Amino acid sequence: MKRVELIAPCHFGLESVLKREIIDLGYEISKVEDGRVTFIGDAEAICRANVFLRTAERILLKVGEFEARTFDELFEKTKSLPWEDYIPADGKFWVTKAASVKSKLFSPSDIQSIMKKAMVERMKIQYHKKWFEETGASYPVRVFLMKDVVTIGLDTSGVSLHKRGYRQLSSKAPITETLAAALIMLTPWKKDRILVDPFCGSGTFPIEAAMMAANIAPGMNRSFTAESWTNLIPKKLWYDTIDEANELVNDDIEVDIQGYDIDADVIRAARQNAEDAGVAHLIHFQQRPVSELRHPKKYGFVITNPPYGERLEEKEALPKLYSEFGESFQKLDSWSAYMITSYEDTERYFGRKADKNRKIYNGMLKTYFYQFIGPRPPKRTVKNEGEA
């Protein structure tokens, strides 16, 4: 496959984290927009992006981009794209998702059906066929309209990349794996520092941190739609990518990662999830209320997703909960705390104004990532060889 543009959607407000990840993976960024980063790659990049990126929601192979203000324009311009370069004659193809923002064309179902018809008309001409059985591999199409600009991509991932394959059991309000990973990356936490999540729920923050510490690629243990695209991506590239991921794993490490929750059933679920992720030996889970948050060592990190109180009866309990959290954290005088919540009185009851605050959309819910930054630990002095 020649060099192509690949689109990686992400959570709004976290584009800079994903951009850094893509650059670290060795690829060139071509565009950064709200909720997505576009980069240049080839067939191997599709495999590696799916397997290694922790904060992308999926990887789309960009087929085309054009302006369309009428359905006739949408039909003709979709028909003019070289679909035969991507989809074989027996391929199963459909427009799985259409999203429209500030555009004249706004009906997702109409956009989907018109684009499907246009694709069929193009492929009828190219393959000299009147009917497509669609018995082969799946080629789902996603389209996004922004101010009348239509961007079309083939979905190489299939199930969203936040589905790592380890979280079979969830707590009431789980944070997605991709969002948890991105938030950890927004902090200065590294594997040699302590990390505690006092509202760990299904264990997503501790598990994602442990996977980072052990260099376990997030997509190692799942499958992707594009694995069956043998017309575009040789199977060997997928095998090579998994081999690369396996070689990078180092789970024989010493870390201090802990997860607490007041609910014993939730802690059992978190332990099972950690087991399925291959990091159970790196995390200490314990049933414990936030009022008992403590640690004997200095310069640790609290990274957490406390209850938001989306239901009225839960909201009444939040002042006490956040006050207990704040009081416990005060005693950890050299620590830093990072929490994502939509609770508007967070700072009031936590008892401290955040040093930094970042707006992040968790799905359709507007949340804030409050950052209470503690002092840096003193630099370690490396003694010369032969010194006592």
Side-chain angles (χ1 to χ4, degrees), residues 146-205:
M146 178 65 166
K147 295 181 181 175
D148 302 321
V149 174
V150 182
T151 306
I152 302 169
L154 284 169
D155 182 2
T156 74
S157 305
V159 175
S160 172
L161 293 180
H162 81 264
K163 299 274 191 183
R164 315 286 206 219
Y166 68 73
R167 196 166 76 181
Q168 312 305 321
L169 303 158
S170 286
S171 55
K172 278 186 293 189
I175 190 167
T176 66
E177 295 87 329
T178 44
L179 179 54
L183 295 177
I184 294 168
M185 288 180 186
L186 278 176
T187 78
W189 179 80
K190 295 288 182 286
K191 63 185 176 186
D192 61 343
R193 304 282 293 276
I194 304 155
L195 188 153
V196 176
D197 180 356
F199 302 99
C200 74
S202 52
T204 310
F205 272 125

Side-chain angles (χ1 to χ4, degrees), residues 228-280:
S228 60
W229 297 1
T230 49
N231 61 316
L232 296 175
I233 307 170
K235 275 279 186 193
K236 185 178 183 298
L237 290 181
W238 290 103
Y239 297 138
D240 289 347
T241 302
I242 295 301
D243 285 347
E244 180 190 356
N246 276 311
E247 285 168 14
L248 291 169
V249 173
N250 177 20
D251 63 356
D252 184 22
I253 52 173
E254 290 285 328
V255 291
D256 189 345
I257 298 173
Q258 302 183 26
Y260 309 147
D261 202 282
I262 199 167
D263 188 326
D265 291 335
V266 163
I267 287 293
R268 273 193 290 276
R271 284 196 184 111
Q272 185 58 57
N273 289 339
E275 190 74 45
D276 293 342
V279 294

Side-chain angles (χ1 to χ4, degrees), residues 122-383:
R122 168 78 185 203
M123 290 170 68
K124 274 183 184 177
I125 296 163
Q126 297 300 317
Y127 286 121
H128 310 291
K129 293 179 75 167
K130 290 185 178 176
W131 179 257
F132 293 93
E133 296 288 344
E134 299 194 47
T135 53
S138 294
Y139 294 80
V141 175
R142 288 180 171 254
V143 58
F144 178 67
L145 284 75
M146 178 65 166
K147 295 181 181 175
D148 302 321
V149 174
V150 182
T151 306
I152 302 169
L154 284 169
D155 182 2
T156 74
S157 305
V159 175
S160 172
L161 293 180
H162 81 264
K163 299 274 191 183
R164 315 286 206 219
Y166 68 73
R167 196 166 76 181
Q168 312 305 321
L169 303 158
S170 286
S171 55
K172 278 186 293 189
I175 190 167
T176 66
E177 295 87 329
T178 44
L179 179 54
L183 295 177
I184 294 168
M185 288 180 186
L186 278 176
T187 78
W189 179 80
K190 295 288 182 286
K191 63 185 176 186
D192 61 343
R193 304 282 293 276
I194 304 155
L195 188 153
V196 176
D197 180 356
F199 302 99
C200 74
S202 52
T204 310
F205 272 125
I207 292 169
E208 287 295 318
M211 288 176 72
M212 287 180 199
N215 218 2
I216 297 172
M220 278 180 71
N221 298 309
R222 54 158 287 168
S223 57
F224 308 97
T225 298
E227 285 179 66
S228 60
W229 297 1
T230 49
N231 61 316
L232 296 175
I233 307 170
K235 275 279 186 193
K236 185 178 183 298
L237 290 181
W238 290 103
Y239 297 138
D240 289 347
T241 302
I242 295 301
D243 285 347
E244 180 190 356
N246 276 311
E247 285 168 14
L248 291 169
V249 173
N250 177 20
D251 63 356
D252 184 22
I253 52 173
E254 290 285 328
V255 291
D256 189 345
I257 298 173
Q258 302 183 26
Y260 309 147
D261 202 282
I262 199 167
D263 188 326
D265 291 335
V266 163
I267 287 293
R268 273 193 290 276
R271 284 196 184 111
Q272 185 58 57
N273 289 339
E275 190 74 45
D276 293 342
V279 294
H281 63 296
L282 299 176
I283 307 169
H284 173 67
F285 287 111
Q286 189 179 359
Q287 183 187 0
R288 188 194 284 197
V290 72
S291 58
E292 292 178 23
L293 169 62
R294 62 175 74 92
H295 198 287
K297 293 183 181 172
K298 296 171 79 72
Y299 305 111
F301 286 78
V302 172
I303 304 178
T304 194
N305 173 39
Y308 301 171
E310 292 307 299
R311 290 197 288 270
L312 191 61
E313 65 272 18
E314 290 174 351
K315 201 151 197 164
E316 290 167 2
L318 292 185
K320 182 173 184 286
L321 189 74
Y322 279 76
S323 295
E324 286 178 347
F325 183 15
E327 285 161 18
S328 298
F329 178 69
Q330 258 187 340
K331 295 167 191 166
L332 297 166
D333 59 350
S334 63
W335 281 48
S336 299
Y338 297 82
M339 71 172 112
I340 181 170
T341 177
S342 65
Y343 183 45
E344 62 274 12
D345 287 327
T346 290
E347 291 169 310
R348 176 184 169 193
Y349 289 108
F350 191 70
R352 178 176 160 185
K353 186 163 176 57
D355 298 298
K356 287 184 180 177
N357 195 349
R358 191 176 184 124
K359 183 164 67 176
I360 291 164
Y361 280 88
N362 184 2
M364 298 307 293
L365 182 66
K366 184 170 71 174
T367 62
Y368 290 92
F369 191 46
Y370 293 94
Q371 303 167 55
F372 304 90
I373 301 166
R376 288 185 177 185
K379 285 190 176 176
R380 292 173 186 163
T381 55
V382 180
K383 292 184 178 178

